[in-house]
Amino acid sequence: MSFEPFLNPAAIAVYGASERETSPAAHILRNLLTQGFGGEIIAINPKYETVAGHPCVASQVAGGRRADLAVLAIPPQAVPAALRDCGAVGTRAAIVITAGFNDGDGPAGRERLLRVAREAGIRLIGPNCLGLLRPRLRMNATFQPAMPAPGGLALLSQSGAICSGLADMADGQGLGFSFMVSLGNSYDFGLSDALEMACTDPETTVIAMYVEGVRDGARFRAALSEACRRKPVIVLKAGRHAESAEAAATHTGALVGSDRVFSTVLREAGAVQVATLGGLLDAGRLLTAAPRLPGGRLAIVTNGGGAGVLAADRLSDRRLHPAPLPQDLRERLDGVLSRNWSRRNPIDIVGDATAAQYRATIDACLDSEGFDAVLTLLSPQSMTAPDLVADAVLAAHHRAEKPVLSCFLGGASVASARARLRRQRVPDFDLPENAVQAFAAALQASTASPGAPETPRIAAPRGPDEASGLARTLAELGPLPAGLLSDTGSRRLLASAGIPCPVPQPAATAQEAVRRFVETRGPVVLKIASPDISHKSEVEGVRLNLRTGDAVEAAFREIVAAAQARRPDARIEGVTVEPMLAPAHPRELLVGVNRDPVFGHVLTFGAGGTLVELLDDVATALLPLTPGRATELIARTKIARLLGDYRNMPAVDARALAELLVAVSDLCTALPQIAEMDINPLIASPEGLFAVDARIRLEAEVTPLLTGERDDLG
Amino acid sequence: MSFEPFLNPAAIAVYGASERETSPAAHILRNLLTQGFGGEIIAINPKYETVAGHPCVASQVAGGRRADLAVLAIPPQAVPAALRDCGAVGTRAAIVITAGFNDGDGPAGRERLLRVAREAGIRLIGPNCLGLLRPRLRMNATFQPAMPAPGGLALLSQSGAICSGLADMADGQGLGFSFMVSLGNSYDFGLSDALEMACTDPETTVIAMYVEGVRDGARFRAALSEACRRKPVIVLKAGRHAESAEAAATHTGALVGSDRVFSTVLREAGAVQVATLGGLLDAGRLLTAAPRLPGGRLAIVTNGGGAGVLAADRLSDRRLHPAPLPQDLRERLDGVLSRNWSRRNPIDIVGDATAAQYRATIDACLDSEGFDAVLTLLSPQSMTAPDLVADAVLAAHHRAEKPVLSCFLGGASVASARARLRRQRVPDFDLPENAVQAFAAALQASTASPGAPETPRIAAPRGPDEASGLARTLAELGPLPAGLLSDTGSRRLLASAGIPCPVPQPAATAQEAVRRFVETRGPVVLKIASPDISHKSEVEGVRLNLRTGDAVEAAFREIVAAAQARRPDARIEGVTVEPMLAPAHPRELLVGVNRDPVFGHVLTFGAGGTLVELLDDVATALLPLTPGRATELIARTKIARLLGDYRNMPAVDARALAELLVAVSDLCTALPQIAEMDINPLIASPEGLFAVDARIRLEAEVTPLLTGERDDLG
C-alpha cells in the first residue's frame, strides 16, 4: 500500500470530536487545530454542529466530506460504523485510538474489527494507541500535546507512553523527528508495516524502534533487513528478562519471543540494539547528524584531563581504543597549543585553552587522515569561553565531512552554548560516556548494515547429490515417532544427514561382534544390549578400547555372563559395538537447535561438555545457514580461539566444522518437525569431528510458525 | 590533624590577589568576595594597596593578619616565601593552585616545597589544583565561578575539570554538596587525607570520589575502610584500560595500579564502584536522600507500560528482579485503580491515572511490607497532571521512612514538576534506567559497607606450630635464588608450605627407583634426569603409571638406555620418581599471586588449565587471606559451582581448598620476595588437592611498596 494517507494527508477526519476535557478526541482535535496543521480538518460527531468553534458533521457521508486519514477516538461499539463511513467516501487509512476491543469477547472483537476494515478497504493503526505525529506538517494526530521539531528520526513504538515522553523531551534534546507512530495493539498495522513506511519515507534518515514483541517473524525479518539496507535502524527491545517480558505481555498483549533469538534477528538483519532509552536517544541524535560513520578512530579533544580519560575508558569498554595521534598532527598541534598539552589522544589542550586553540585542534583533527570523527569535550574553567568554543564546533560541524560530536559538561555556564549546538543539530551529549556510547552504536550501524548477510529464504542445497541424498536417506528411515528419539535413533538420524556420529551396531553373538570389530578398522567399545538395562556400567556391561578380535570375543562372553548373573530377569540381546574414539587434542563443543514459535529454527553453537552452563559461551543464528554464516557464527564464540592452533594443540578443520553446522541446518530444513536437538559434546579434534551424544525431539506435526500478512499482537 | 582550617576557616588569605582577568587569584578573590562568604578575606599582593576595592597587604606578617586557610595562586618560585609567611603567623592550612613545580627540576621541586611546608607546620592541598568549595559557608576557594547548593555529598577529585563541571551542573541536577576538593598533584594532601576529612565532617553524609590512581596503598585502604564503615562511598575510577590509564598518567602524573587490583581494593573496603560520571551523580543523588536502603524490593509505579518494562529490565540486568506484589496490596489497589491496571509489579496504573491514584498507589506500596522503596514513573499523557503527581511524590518523600525515587519522562510538560522534586531533594532521575542503576548502586552501598571484612594487617597464624613450621621449613631451604625458580624448586617451596605438590624424587639407580616407588605407595611416573635434556618425551624418557617394582626396574633400564643411545653427549643422572596422580572427577583450577607495586600481594583464583585465558573466570583478593575471605573469594567465581556436587561428580573438599589458599597467602607473607606465583592447574578432586604445575619468581630484594604518610602522586 501507499503510506501517503498516513504520512501526508491533505484532510484528516476526527471521529468523536468534542470539547470534553476527558475525551482524547478533544485533545486530538485541539492539537490539529492549534498546532499549525495546514490541511483540512473534519470534526465528526452527530451530537454537535460545531466543536471548539470548528464545524462538525455527523459523518463523512452525511457531511459530504472525504478525509485521507481518519482518527477514531470513539467507543469500541461505534468503531465499525465509523469505518464503514470511511469506506463509503474512500478514506483508506485510519488510526483507532480507542481501547477495549478485547474486553469481554477476547479475540472475537479483533476479528470483527479486522473484517469491517477489510471490507471497507482500510489500513488501520491501533487500536489502543496514542496516534501519529508528523512534525514537518505540524500534524499532531495524537492526544498528547507535545510537537517535536522536524528532523530525520522516525520513531516506531509499541508503547504510547514512550512516544509521548520522547515527543515532550525532544526539543531539549536537540532531536528532530520525521514521524512518530504508536502502534498499540497492532490488529492490522504492525512493526513490519511501520518499518516499510519509514523505509520508503524520504524524510526519514534514521529509524528508531521501541519493541516489546513481534508475531510475524518472517515478515518482520524481511522488512527489517530491507530497512537496514537503506537506513540505520536502532532498536530498544524491552522485556529482555522473563519478569520484564511478563510485564510487557500484560502491557500490549505482545508475544515476546526468547530475547536471545530476538537479538539474533536484529544482529543478522544489521540493526543496532541498544539497552536503554538514553542509548536510543543518543544514537538517534548522532545518526541523524551522521548516518554513516567513516570509521571508528575518534579524536577526543578536551580542556580537562578527567573528562578525556572517562571518554577513553568508555571507548575501550566498547573495544574501540583511542586511535593514536599521527606524527604530523602532533607537530601541527605543537605549533598551536601551550607546551603542556598531552601529545596523545585524548588530546588534552589543558585548562587555559582558548576557543582559538579549540578551533585549531578540531580543524587539525578533521584534516588528519588519522581520525574519522572528533569529540569535543569542555569543562567550564576560568579561561574557558563556552559560547566561542561552540562557535568553533559549529563551524567545524558545518564545514567537515566527518562527524563532530560534543559534550559541554556543566549547567548554567554552558547552557547557552549547548542550546545553540543542539538547535543546529550538532550531536551534543550530556555526559562523555553518552557521547562515546552513541559513537559506538553509530559505528555498528555504519559497519553492520551494508554487509548484513541476505537471509536465505530456503536452504541452498550443497549439491544436487547431497540434498537429494538427505531426502532419500530420510525416506529410508521411514516415519519417525514424535517425542524424544532414542539415543540410537538420534545418532542414526544425524548419521543419515552426514554428521559423523558413531552408531552402536548390534551384535547378537561373539562372532558377529568380532565381524563388527573388523569392519570398524580400529579399537572398539562393547556395551551390553538389553532393553531392560539402562545403567550398563552397573552390570559391568561396558568394555573400552578393545584392540584385537580375541579381546572382543572374550569381552563379549564376559559382558553377557556378568549381565546374566546380575540381572537374571533381563532380556539380553547381545552387545553393541562402536568405535573407540579418543582422539588427541579434543575440543568439546555444543551444537543445539530449537524452534522459536515466531522465528523458527535457531541454531546454537559454542563450548560444550559438562561445563556448558558454567561457560555460557554460545552464539546463535537463525536457520538455514550458509557455510559463510556458519563460519561467522563460530567466530563469535570465545571457544573459536581454541579451534585453531592453540598452545600445543594443532588446529581442527574449520571448514569441516562449518559444513557440519550447515548439515545440521539442512537436516532441520528437511525435517521441520525437529523441535529440539542437542549434540553435546561434539568432539572436534585434528583427526576429525564426531558427535558423542545427541538428543533429538520431534513434534508429531509441524506447528506452523505464527505468521500472516500482519503483525497481530492482540 | 584537624581539618577545621580547610572546611571551616574564619579567615582566608588569597596570595596573588589581583584584578587581572587572566589571573586565577583574581577569580578566587572575586568568588570569595561576591558569593557570600561570611568570614574575613585577606588579599595579599605586595604590588597593590587595594584589589577590587578590597584592602590588600604585602604579606600576613607585614599586614599583621592571620588567616586559618591560605590560597596561593602565585608563581612557583614565590610559593616558599608565602608558605613561610603563613608559618610565621600560624596559618596551618594552604591550597596551592599554582602548577609547574616539576617543570625543569623534576621531583626536586616537590621535595623543596614539602620541606618548606613541613618547616612552617602547614598541610597543603595541591599544587596544580582547582581548590576547595564549601557551599554551606558560601566559600568558593576555587577559580571557577559556580557555587553548588549545600547538601550531604562530598566530592574528592583528582581532576579539577570534573570538579568544575559538577559544580556547574549541580543545581540543575538537584545535588547538594558538603564540600568539593580538587587534589591536583597531591604533594602532601592526598585521597587518604581527603577521605579522613570527609569521614570526620558532620555535614558529609555520602562520599563521591573521582580517582585516577593512588600511591600509598596501605594508608588508602585503611582510610577507605574506615570511611565505608561510617558513610556510603561511591567511586568513579578513571583510566580503567591500558590506553586510558596512559592518558591518566599523563594528566596528573598518578601511578595507576592494575585496574582489577583497584576494583578489588574498593570491593574489599565496601566502596561502590560506578563506571560512568552519570552513575556517580545518580548514585550520589539517591544516597544523599537515602543513605541506607532497607532492601532491594523496588515497587515500580507507572502510568505507561513501556517505561515500567524498561525499569524492570534494568533491575533484572542488575540481578534485582521486580519483587512480587503482595496479595493484600493487590486487593487494596483493586479498590483504588481503574480495572485494567497491571496487577503485578511494575504497577501499571495506566494512561488515564490521576494524581489521586498515583498518591494512593505510592502510599499503599510504602505501607506494604512487600516493598523497600518506590520508583514513580510518569509519562505525559492527556489526563496526567505532572505537578499534582509531584505533590504526591513530595508528600510521600517527606512522610515515609522508605525512599521514594522518581522519573518524569519528558521535557516542557514535566519541567516544573521535576524542578520542584529536585529542589526538595527527591531523588529524581532523567531516565528510568538511571533511576534503577542508582538504586542498585545504593543497595550495594547499603549492604556492602557494614559487612565489609576488616582487612587483616598481618597474617593470622593458623596455629603456632604451623607458622613456626613454615618459617623453619623456609630456613631449611636456605637462601633462594632470585628469578624464576626451577620446576622442582617451585614444587619444593609449595610443598614446604604444606601445599600438596608431588615433588619428583631423584633416583640414581634402579634399586633407588624401586625404593622410591615403595615409599610412594601407589603408581608412579619415571622421568629421565639429565641437566642436558629438557624435552624428556623426545628421548623416550617418560614412563607413566608404573604399578609394580619389576615394572619400575625395567622402566629405569629402558629409559636410561634410550637416553644414552639418543643423546650420547648428555650427562645422565638417573631418573626422577613421582606419584602418578589421575584422580576421578578432577577440576582444573588456577591459583596465582602477583605483587602490585601499590597494594602488595594479590591472589587470583579461578578456572585453570589450558583454557584459562579463554574462560577468564577469576576472582582476586588482597593478601593476607583468612579462611573466611578465601571461601568468599572462591564463591565469586563461576567454577565454584563445579566444586560442589555437580552432575555426576562428587564434591571436592571446600574447606581444604580454602585452607590451601590461606597456605599460599601465608607463604607470601613469610617470603615477601615472591614476585609472581602461578599454580596451574591445581587439581581439585574428591580424592584431594594437588598442584600439577607451578612457577614462582622471586625478587632478589623485597622492593618496598610505594608508601609513606602521604599520597605522593607527583
Side-chain angles (χ1 to χ4, degrees):
Chain A
M1 74 168 286
S2 159
F3 298 105
E4 280 294 299
F6 284 114
L7 290 184
N8 297 311
I12 301 177
V14 179
Y15 285 79
S18 88
E19 292 174 20
R20 215 164 19 95
E21 258 313 300
T22 57
S23 148
H27 294 271
I28 295 166
L29 185 66
R30 187 168 56 208
N31 289 342
L32 288 170
L33 287 171
T34 64
Q35 295 189 353
F37 176 63
E40 186 184 352
I41 297 164
I42 308 167
I44 299 182
N45 195 328
K47 289 195 227 159
Y48 308 115
E49 301 212 332
T50 65
V51 174
H54 193 81
C56 182
V57 296
S59 66
Q60 294 197 73
V61 170
R65 312 289 285 275
R66 188 192 162 281
D68 301 301
L69 173 65
V71 184
L72 283 63
I74 50 181
Q77 61 276 14
V79 167
L83 290 177
R84 287 189 199 101
D85 182 46
C86 288
V89 300
T91 304
R92 292 282 168 263
I95 298 169
V96 182
I97 305 292
T98 316
F101 283 89
N102 269 342
D103 290 357
D105 54 359
R110 170 173 154 270
E111 283 310 318
R112 265 203 303 278
L113 187 65
L114 281 176
R115 199 173 54 240
V116 173
R118 282 185 199 122
E119 284 166 7
I122 290 174
R123 290 307 306 269
L124 177 155
I125 290 176
N128 189 19
C129 72
L130 185 78
L132 179 67
L133 271 165
R134 182 70 159 166
R136 193 184 50 79
L137 298 185
R138 312 268 327 144
M139 167 187 136
N140 182 352
T142 77
F143 56 93
Q144 64 80 43
M147 170 65 83
L153 191 62
L155 176 70
L156 327 179
S157 175
Q158 287 184 331
S159 159
I162 296 293
C163 272
S164 70
L166 297 198
D168 200 47
M169 73 167 63
D171 276 349
Q173 297 270 335
L175 274 167
F177 287 87
S178 55
F179 68 88
M180 278 190 187
V181 63
S182 150
L183 296 167
N185 290 345
S186 293
Y187 279 8
D188 172 36
F189 192 102
L191 269 177
S192 306
D193 300 284
L195 274 165
E196 285 176 17
M197 185 159 87
C199 199
T200 53
D201 173 31
E203 287 184 43
T204 298
T205 57
V206 179
I207 302 170
M209 292 201 285
Y210 169 90
V211 184
E212 295 188 347
V214 299
R215 193 174 167 101
D216 183 342
R219 189 168 162 234
F220 177 75
R221 286 178 71 194
L224 185 63
S225 289
E226 176 61 20
C228 289
R229 267 191 286 277
R230 297 174 58 176
K231 296 169 186 183
V233 179
I234 327 157
V235 180
L236 176 60
K237 168 69 165 57
R240 289 180 291 109
H241 299 268
E243 292 77 7
S244 332
E246 206 179 298
T250 309
H251 176 223
T252 62
L255 180 73
V256 179
S258 144
D259 191 59
R260 202 165 214 163
V261 174
F262 197 81
S263 295
T264 303
V265 168
L266 296 180
R267 198 196 50 252
E268 292 190 355
V272 175
Q273 187 171 11
V274 293
T276 59
L277 195 53
L280 190 77
L281 294 172
D282 286 330
R285 192 191 334 239
L286 176 53
L287 283 165
T288 44
R292 295 273 176 226
L293 292 189
R297 298 169 305 164
L298 181 66
I300 301 169
V301 178
T302 180
N303 70 339
V309 181
L310 291 176
D313 268 347
R314 211 63 186 162
L315 265 186
S316 297
D317 284 346
R318 303 299 302 262
R319 292 168 199 234
L320 292 167
H321 299 296
L325 207 61
Q327 181 62 28
D328 59 340
L329 181 55
R330 185 180 156 148
E331 284 160 15
R332 179 166 163 188
L333 291 177
D334 272 335
V336 175
L337 299 174
S338 65
R339 71 191 152 68
N340 51 341
W341 76 281
S342 68
R343 292 180 176 79
R344 76 185 69 208
N345 186 21
I347 305 169
D348 184 353
I349 60 175
V350 308
D352 59 3
T354 62
Q357 287 174 323
Y358 259 109
R359 183 184 297 244
T361 309
I362 297 167
D363 284 348
C365 291
L366 290 170
D367 291 345
S368 169
E369 292 193 356
F371 291 115
D372 301 307
V374 175
L375 168 60
T376 307
L377 301 174
L378 177 142
S379 302
Q381 313 256 1
S382 56
M383 300 302 302
T384 317
D387 287 300
L388 298 180
V389 177
D391 284 340
V393 173
L394 281 167
H397 173 69
H398 291 310
R399 177 181 75 81
E401 303 266 301
K402 298 175 183 173
V404 182
L405 295 72
S406 65
C407 169
F408 283 31
L409 211 58
S413 299
V414 297
S416 70
R418 290 182 63 181
R420 283 176 56 217
L421 290 168
R422 293 190 172 204
R423 260 197 313 278
Q424 299 213 33
R425 299 289 161 80
V426 172
D428 174 70
F429 301 88
D430 292 347
L431 294 164
E433 62 256 23
N434 297 0
V436 170
Q437 285 178 188
F439 182 75
L443 184 66
Q444 197 189 334
S446 300
T447 51
S449 303
E454 197 152 340
T455 308
R457 292 277 137 221
I458 52 162
R462 289 180 300 147
D465 293 345
E466 283 184 54
S468 61
L470 175 58
R472 194 168 54 239
T473 316
L474 287 175
E476 283 165 15
L477 284 174
L480 291 159
L484 200 61
L485 295 185
S486 69
D487 181 46
T488 304
S490 293
R491 287 160 183 259
R492 194 163 286 152
L493 192 53
L494 290 183
S496 74
I499 296 157
C501 188
V503 180
Q505 301 292 332
T509 64
Q511 288 68 31
E512 202 175 346
V514 171
R515 203 175 65 241
R516 295 281 189 205
F517 160 71
V518 172
E519 286 166 10
T520 306
R521 281 180 286 188
V524 295
V525 176
L526 257 59
K527 294 180 187 162
I528 189 72
S530 162
D532 303 317
I533 298 174
S534 54
H535 294 89
K536 303 184 201 310
S537 313
E538 290 177 5
V539 298
E540 295 177 26
V542 180
R543 293 296 174 91
L544 305 174
N545 206 16
L546 304 168
R547 293 170 170 272
T548 65
D550 288 350
V552 169
E553 195 176 335
F556 182 94
R557 295 188 205 294
E558 288 163 19
I559 284 175
V560 170
Q564 282 167 338
R566 288 173 177 248
R567 293 284 303 276
D569 57 309
R571 290 165 290 173
I572 308 288
E573 295 171 349
V575 301
T576 60
V577 182
E578 62 194 277
M580 170 80 194
L581 294 170
H585 309 301
R587 281 82 150 175
E588 293 197 330
L589 306 176
L590 164 88
V591 179
V593 174
N594 66 304
R595 198 160 178 277
D596 183 86
V598 174
F599 294 105
H601 280 130
V602 181
L603 187 141
T604 300
F605 170 82
T610 51
L611 304 190
V612 58
E613 288 144 35
L614 284 188
L615 301 180
D616 194 28
D617 172 31
V618 294
T620 52
L622 289 148
L623 296 190
L625 274 183
T626 57
R629 290 184 59 231
T631 303
E632 182 264 344
L633 173 71
I634 295 165
R636 278 193 288 116
T637 60
K638 282 195 259 177
I639 201 141
R641 277 177 53 201
L642 195 68
L643 300 175
D645 288 306
Y646 186 82
R647 298 200 170 183
N648 60 343
M649 301 200 295
V652 307
D653 183 342
R655 198 177 139 184
L657 182 58
E659 278 171 4
L660 184 144
L661 298 186
V662 173
V664 170
S665 171
D666 289 351
L667 176 61
C668 295
T669 304
L671 207 60
Q673 62 263 50
I674 291 177
E676 286 175 75
M677 181 192 299
D678 200 7
I679 307 177
N680 184 25
L682 172 79
I683 298 290
S685 82
E687 298 162 39
L689 307 164
F690 59 93
V692 173
D693 217 340
R695 288 162 64 89
I696 297 176
R697 190 171 68 76
L698 300 179
E699 289 171 327
E701 292 173 29
V702 182
T703 318
L705 292 182
L706 298 167
T707 184
E709 289 197 348
R710 295 155 180 174
D711 288 330
D712 293 333
L713 298 172
Chain B
M1 76 168 286
S2 159
F3 298 105
E4 280 295 298
F6 284 115
L7 289 184
N8 297 309
I12 301 178
V14 180
Y15 285 80
S18 87
E19 291 174 21
R20 219 167 10 99
E21 258 311 300
T22 56
S23 149
H27 294 272
I28 295 167
L29 185 66
R30 186 166 57 207
N31 288 344
L32 288 170
L33 287 172
T34 64
Q35 295 189 351
F37 177 62
E40 188 184 349
I41 297 164
I42 307 166
I44 298 182
N45 194 329
K47 290 193 227 158
Y48 309 116
E49 301 213 334
T50 64
V51 173
H54 193 80
C56 183
V57 295
S59 67
Q60 291 198 72
V61 169
R65 312 290 286 273
R66 187 192 163 280
D68 300 302
L69 173 66
V71 185
L72 283 62
I74 50 182
Q77 61 276 16
V79 168
L83 290 177
R84 287 189 199 102
D85 182 45
C86 287
V89 299
T91 303
R92 294 281 169 264
I95 298 169
V96 182
I97 304 293
T98 316
F101 284 89
N102 270 342
D103 289 357
D105 54 359
R110 170 174 155 271
E111 284 310 318
R112 265 202 303 280
L113 187 66
L114 280 176
R115 199 172 53 239
V116 173
R118 282 186 199 121
E119 284 167 5
I122 289 174
R123 289 308 305 271
L124 178 154
I125 290 176
N128 190 19
C129 73
L130 185 78
L132 179 67
L133 270 166
R134 181 70 160 168
R136 194 185 50 79
L137 299 185
R138 312 275 317 151
M139 168 187 136
N140 183 351
T142 77
F143 56 92
Q144 64 80 42
M147 169 65 82
L153 191 61
L155 176 70
L156 326 179
S157 175
Q158 287 184 331
S159 158
I162 295 294
C163 271
S164 70
L166 297 198
D168 200 48
M169 73 167 63
D171 275 350
Q173 296 271 333
L175 275 167
F177 287 88
S178 54
F179 68 88
M180 278 190 184
V181 62
S182 150
L183 296 167
N185 289 347
S186 293
Y187 278 9
D188 172 36
F189 192 102
L191 270 178
S192 306
D193 300 285
L195 274 166
E196 286 176 16
M197 185 158 87
C199 199
T200 53
D201 172 32
E203 286 183 44
T204 298
T205 57
V206 178
I207 302 169
M209 292 202 285
Y210 170 90
V211 185
E212 295 187 347
V214 299
R215 192 173 167 102
D216 183 342
R219 189 168 162 234
F220 177 75
R221 285 177 73 195
L224 185 63
S225 288
E226 176 60 20
C228 290
R229 267 192 285 277
R230 298 172 59 175
K231 297 169 185 183
V233 179
I234 327 156
V235 181
L236 176 59
K237 168 67 164 59
R240 289 180 291 108
H241 298 268
E243 292 77 7
S244 330
E246 206 180 298
T250 311
H251 175 223
T252 63
L255 180 74
V256 179
S258 143
D259 191 59
R260 202 165 216 167
V261 174
F262 197 80
S263 295
T264 303
V265 168
L266 296 180
R267 197 196 50 250
E268 291 190 355
V272 176
Q273 187 172 10
V274 293
T276 59
L277 194 55
L280 189 77
L281 294 172
D282 286 330
R285 193 192 332 242
L286 177 52
L287 283 165
T288 46
R292 295 274 175 228
L293 292 189
R297 296 168 308 165
L298 181 67
I300 301 169
V301 179
T302 180
N303 70 338
V309 182
L310 291 176
D313 268 347
R314 210 63 186 162
L315 265 185
S316 298
D317 283 346
R318 303 299 302 262
R319 293 170 197 231
L320 292 167
H321 300 296
L325 207 61
Q327 181 62 28
D328 59 339
L329 180 56
R330 184 180 156 151
E331 283 160 14
R332 180 168 163 186
L333 292 177
D334 272 335
V336 177
L337 299 174
S338 65
R339 73 194 149 67
N340 50 343
W341 76 281
S342 68
R343 291 180 177 79
R344 77 184 71 207
N345 185 22
I347 304 169
D348 184 353
I349 61 176
V350 307
D352 59 3
T354 62
Q357 287 175 323
Y358 259 109
R359 184 184 297 242
T361 308
I362 296 167
D363 284 347
C365 291
L366 290 169
D367 291 344
S368 169
E369 292 192 356
F371 292 115
D372 301 307
V374 175
L375 168 60
T376 307
L377 301 174
L378 177 143
S379 303
Q381 313 257 359
S382 58
M383 299 302 301
T384 315
D387 287 300
L388 298 180
V389 178
D391 284 339
V393 172
L394 281 167
H397 173 70
H398 291 311
R399 176 181 76 80
E401 303 267 302
K402 297 174 184 173
V404 181
L405 295 73
S406 66
C407 169
F408 283 31
L409 211 58
S413 298
V414 297
S416 69
R418 290 182 64 180
R420 284 177 55 218
L421 290 168
R422 294 192 170 201
R423 262 198 312 276
Q424 299 213 33
R425 300 289 161 80
V426 171
D428 174 70
F429 301 88
D430 293 348
L431 294 164
E433 61 256 24
N434 297 359
V436 170
Q437 285 178 188
F439 182 75
L443 185 66
Q444 196 189 335
S446 301
T447 51
S449 303
E454 196 152 340
T455 309
R457 291 277 138 222
I458 51 162
R462 288 179 302 145
D465 294 344
E466 282 184 54
S468 61
L470 176 58
R472 196 168 52 239
T473 317
L474 287 175
E476 282 165 18
L477 285 174
L480 292 160
L484 202 59
L485 295 185
S486 70
D487 181 44
T488 304
S490 294
R491 287 160 183 258
R492 194 164 286 153
L493 192 54
L494 290 183
S496 75
I499 296 157
C501 188
V503 179
Q505 301 292 333
T509 64
Q511 290 69 29
E512 204 177 343
V514 172
R515 202 176 66 240
R516 296 279 190 204
F517 162 69
V518 173
E519 285 166 9
T520 305
R521 282 181 285 184
V524 295
V525 177
L526 256 60
K527 294 179 186 164
I528 188 73
S530 163
D532 303 315
I533 299 174
S534 55
H535 293 90
K536 302 184 201 310
S537 314
E538 290 178 4
V539 297
E540 296 178 26
V542 180
R543 292 296 173 93
L544 304 174
N545 207 15
L546 303 169
R547 293 168 169 272
T548 65
D550 288 349
V552 169
E553 196 175 334
F556 182 95
R557 295 188 206 292
E558 288 164 20
I559 283 176
V560 170
Q564 282 167 341
R566 289 173 177 247
R567 292 285 302 277
D569 57 310
R571 291 164 289 172
I572 308 287
E573 296 171 349
V575 302
T576 59
V577 182
E578 62 194 278
M580 170 80 194
L581 295 169
H585 308 300
R587 282 80 151 177
E588 292 196 332
L589 306 176
L590 164 88
V591 179
V593 174
N594 66 305
R595 198 159 178 278
D596 183 86
V598 174
F599 294 103
H601 280 129
V602 182
L603 187 141
T604 301
F605 169 82
T610 50
L611 304 189
V612 58
E613 288 145 34
L614 284 188
L615 301 180
D616 194 27
D617 170 30
V618 294
T620 53
L622 289 147
L623 296 189
L625 274 184
T626 58
R629 291 182 58 229
T631 303
E632 182 263 345
L633 173 71
I634 295 165
R636 279 193 286 117
T637 60
K638 282 195 258 177
I639 201 144
R641 279 176 52 199
L642 195 68
L643 300 175
D645 287 307
Y646 185 83
R647 298 197 172 183
N648 60 344
M649 300 200 295
V652 306
D653 184 343
R655 201 177 136 183
L657 182 58
E659 278 170 6
L660 184 143
L661 298 185
V662 173
V664 169
S665 171
D666 288 352
L667 176 61
C668 295
T669 304
L671 206 61
Q673 61 265 49
I674 290 177
E676 285 176 76
M677 180 192 299
D678 201 6
I679 307 178
N680 183 26
L682 173 78
I683 298 290
S685 82
E687 299 162 39
L689 307 165
F690 59 93
V692 172
D693 217 342
R695 289 162 63 91
I696 297 176
R697 190 171 68 77
L698 300 180
E699 290 172 327
E701 291 172 30
V702 182
T703 319
L705 291 182
L706 298 166
T707 183
E709 288 197 348
R710 296 156 179 172
D711 288 329
D712 294 333
L713 298 171

